[in-house]
């Protein structure tokens, strides 16, 4: 059974940097996209950044120019480099991998979530 293991969360000061990493524990697989979501208290989960198998990257407007996503299709690893962090970036960050199936719909694999707290 595939599990996504996240690392890199913690507490940083505003303006600082932090890198999140995600890797599968178990078998690797073909992917459609790899990415990161986050959820702040009382708010819905939102997409932060994602990268497709072909290398296309998408970022939330709120993090453009500050965050960088990188993925390795073969290893099914994905990282998120976060720079110039702001208090509003505080949230639980979740790794996500979408894998194609024979039904035409992707499976969604999720990490357990890692807390990122940005202090002012």
């Amino acid at each position: 059974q595939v599990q996504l293991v996240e690392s890199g969360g913690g507490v940083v000061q505003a303006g600082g940097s932090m890198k999140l990493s995600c890797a599968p524990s178990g078998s690797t697989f073909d992917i459609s996209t790899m990415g990161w979501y986050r959820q702040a208290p009382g708010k819905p989960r939102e997409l932060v950044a994602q990268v497709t198998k072909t290398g296309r990257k998408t970022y939330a407007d709120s993090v453009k120019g500050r965050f960088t996503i990188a993925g390795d299709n073969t290893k099914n690893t994905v990282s998120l480099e976060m720079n110039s962090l702001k208090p509003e970036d505080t949230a639980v960050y979740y790794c996500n991998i979408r894998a194609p199936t024979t039904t035409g719909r992707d499976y969604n694999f999720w990490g357990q979530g890692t807390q990122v707290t940005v202090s002012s």
Side-chain angles (χ1 to χ4, degrees):
Q1 194 72 28
V2 176
Q3 301 289 332
L4 302 185
V5 182
E6 303 170 359
S7 63
V11 180
V12 299
Q13 295 185 42
S17 300
M18 178 177 288
K19 183 178 180 179
L20 305 181
S21 298
C22 176
S25 177
S27 301
T28 57
F29 40 82
D30 291 337
I31 64 100
S32 294
T33 66
M34 300 184 290
W36 291 90
Y37 288 72
R38 68 186 181 188
Q39 186 169 26
K43 297 182 179 180
R45 186 176 299 182
E46 65 174 349
L47 176 67
V48 178
Q50 70 176 11
V51 57
T52 69
K53 183 174 68 175
T54 58
R56 298 178 185 178
K57 298 178 180 180
T58 302
Y59 297 93
D61 288 342
S62 60
V63 307
K64 286 182 179 178
R66 299 190 297 120
F67 291 10
T68 302
I69 189 170
D72 185 312
N73 293 339
T74 301
K75 297 180 179 179
N76 296 158
T77 57
V78 60
S79 65
L80 186 68
E81 180 71 41
M82 304 184 292
N83 300 308
S84 301
L85 283 162
K86 304 175 181 180
E88 50 263 45
D89 294 318
T90 295
V92 177
Y93 284 70
Y94 297 90
C95 175
N96 169 258
I97 296 180
R98 294 172 56 202
T101 71
T102 56
T103 67
R105 290 182 170 83
D106 290 346
Y107 281 121
N108 270 290
F109 297 97
W110 294 93
Q112 291 294 319
T114 184
Q115 178 70 46
V116 173
T117 301
V118 184
S119 61
S120 60

